[in-house]
Amino acid sequence: MNTLADAWDWLTDSAHWAGDDGVWHRLTQHLVLTVVCLVISCLIALPVALVLGHLGKGGALAVNISNVGRAIPTFAVLVLLLLTPIGKWGEGPTVVALVLFAVPPLLTNAYVGMREVDRDVVRASRGMGMTGRQMLWRVEVPLAMPMILNGVRIAAVQLVATATIAALAGGGGLGRIITAGFNLASTPQVVAGAILVAVFALLVEAVFEVAERLAPKRGAR
Amino acid sequence: MTAPPDDCLARNEWICGEYLSTRRDILLDAVGQHLQLTALSVLIGLALAVPLAVLARRWGWAAGPVLAVTTILYTIPSLAMFSLLLPVYGLSEALVVAGLVLYSLTLLVRNILAGLRAVPEETRQAARGMGYGPIRLLLTVELPLALPAAMAGLRIATVSAVSLATVGAIVGFGGLGNLIYSGMNTFFKAQVLTASVLCVVIAVAADLLLLGVQWLITPWTRAARA
């Protein structure tokens, strides 16, 4: 229990919150990194998934890509990218690695969501004379929205976790507080950093949970 | 001006046969540690997940809290998880195993519970009608029928554990992750690439092995198709 008290002392010391190595700076880095990568991943994955889902092609690819992604260690990819020429662009390796790992869940969930839309509903919309584009935006996407958002949520949580590992490979973010703590052999700082990261990850999960509860229920009845 | 060295280690190339032959012992040690970490954590995870899932199945009210707690543990980033357990276990292999166990719990509990819930009520009633007690029903009917779903969870948990174990390098017990970490600090390309590829090979091999085990222990799923 002593360690927890020490960690609390570390957290309540205002000196640890200011400056370039401070909590506020690391928290901002973590948040910016997560949001930027989430937006890039969505821009890459969602159009592909929606088009493939609409056409009903490439399903095996979309699902398998997700399983392969799990087998590849994030940490290994980060270090590999760091040692290639991309490593010279500062946060470059981190962004590439994060996007690489956020795309599979987005792709798989959006594709599966699109395919699970009731075929009768899709045929009915075609019977009403809708064009392919109208069917996609007015019927399929709204009905697939819960699954698509679930993918976004999984991707977001994964991004928070991966952004933490980036600190091992010299990137910024909250993980840096933990790795710096290890280098200083300061257990209170390590535990304090871990608490910050855990709370941040749980907050992101909670934000999505609340957003899902508040969203209008479409097709649930 | 000296001539370029004809040794790929000296030229620091990504792919280097010389590295494989000169560092064989280091690589074998790392692979051994990696296998030990993942096998131990998945087995402990399984030993904890089966009773939890059975409890959650038997008493419906327990399912909510069990799933909520394991999901929360899964949300916490691995680096933070290893660090949070640091005061409890210190810098040890047990620290990494404990962290990985907590991760595998979510995947295992969810899948085993889904498998148990999918056992048809008629099947359970038929077994009860044949005089099966609750223990015998669980061991000879419910758990075997939940096997395919449980094995799916076990495969995902194992593959994830293989890749997450690398993060254990932060405390010096990351198996192949140790080689990646030290290779990063010394810009030793061959070491980083070789260790990364070995991680993926282990993950794929473990997945195929479990697929084979599933094929062996669920003969009835094959009979049904034939």
Side-chain angles (χ1 to χ4, degrees), chain A residues 179-213:
Chain A
T179 50
F182 270 109
N183 291 336
L184 297 170
S186 158
T187 309
Q189 180 174 342
V190 170
V191 174
I195 293 172
L196 284 169
V197 171
V199 169
F200 186 73
L202 294 176
L203 269 180
V204 170
E205 179 85 8
V207 166
F208 275 94
E209 182 78 35
V210 170
E212 260 167 49
R213 294 254 165 98

Side-chain angles (χ1 to χ4, degrees), chain B residues 144-222:
Chain B
L145 284 178
L147 267 179
M151 287 301 291
L154 188 63
R155 285 173 59 196
I156 300 175
T158 307
V159 170
S160 305
V162 171
S163 89
L164 273 180
T166 54
V167 181
I170 183 76
V171 292
F173 292 94
L176 290 160
N178 290 347
L179 296 183
I180 299 175
Y181 199 51
S182 63
M184 174 183 78
N185 291 328
T186 54
F187 287 88
F188 193 168
K189 290 178 179 172
Q191 175 160 317
V192 171
L193 186 67
T194 311
S196 308
V197 170
L198 280 174
C199 276
V200 177
V201 170
I202 292 177
V204 172
D207 198 40
L208 290 177
L209 181 74
L210 287 174
L211 197 63
V213 169
Q214 182 178 357
W215 191 81
L216 285 176
I217 62 176
T218 56
W220 61 89
T221 56
R222 299 197 294 280

Side-chain angles (χ1 to χ4, degrees), chain B residues 46-117:
Chain B
L46 198 59
L48 292 174
V50 172
L52 278 176
V54 168
L55 283 181
R57 174 77 184 97
R58 185 108 330 155
W59 293 293
W61 55 264
V66 165
L67 288 179
V69 170
T70 51
T71 307
I72 287 172
L73 290 173
Y74 191 70
T75 304
I76 298 171
S78 51
L79 184 61
M81 182 76 91
F82 291 148
S83 316
L84 280 175
L85 295 169
L86 182 66
V88 187
Y89 293 99
L91 293 173
S92 66
E93 210 158 327
L95 169 74
V96 180
V97 171
L100 293 176
V101 165
L102 293 180
Y103 272 103
S104 57
L105 271 185
T106 317
L107 299 163
L108 292 171
V109 169
R110 268 182 194 280
N111 275 272
I112 300 171
L113 186 59
L116 288 174
R117 280 179 173 162

Side-chain angles (χ1 to χ4, degrees), chain A residues 31-90:
Chain A
L31 192 64
V32 170
L33 209 56
T34 309
V35 171
V36 167
C37 294
L38 188 62
V39 170
I40 298 176
S41 322
C42 285
L43 288 177
I44 296 174
L46 293 185
V48 176
L50 294 188
V51 168
L52 288 180
H54 178 68
L55 299 173
K57 282 178 184 149
L61 182 76
V63 174
N64 281 328
I65 250 180
S66 205
N67 293 335
V68 173
R70 230 191 287 268
I72 301 173
T74 321
F75 177 48
V77 171
L78 263 168
V79 175
L80 283 172
L81 288 171
L82 192 72
L83 296 186
T84 61
I86 302 174
K88 295 194 184 81
W89 322 332

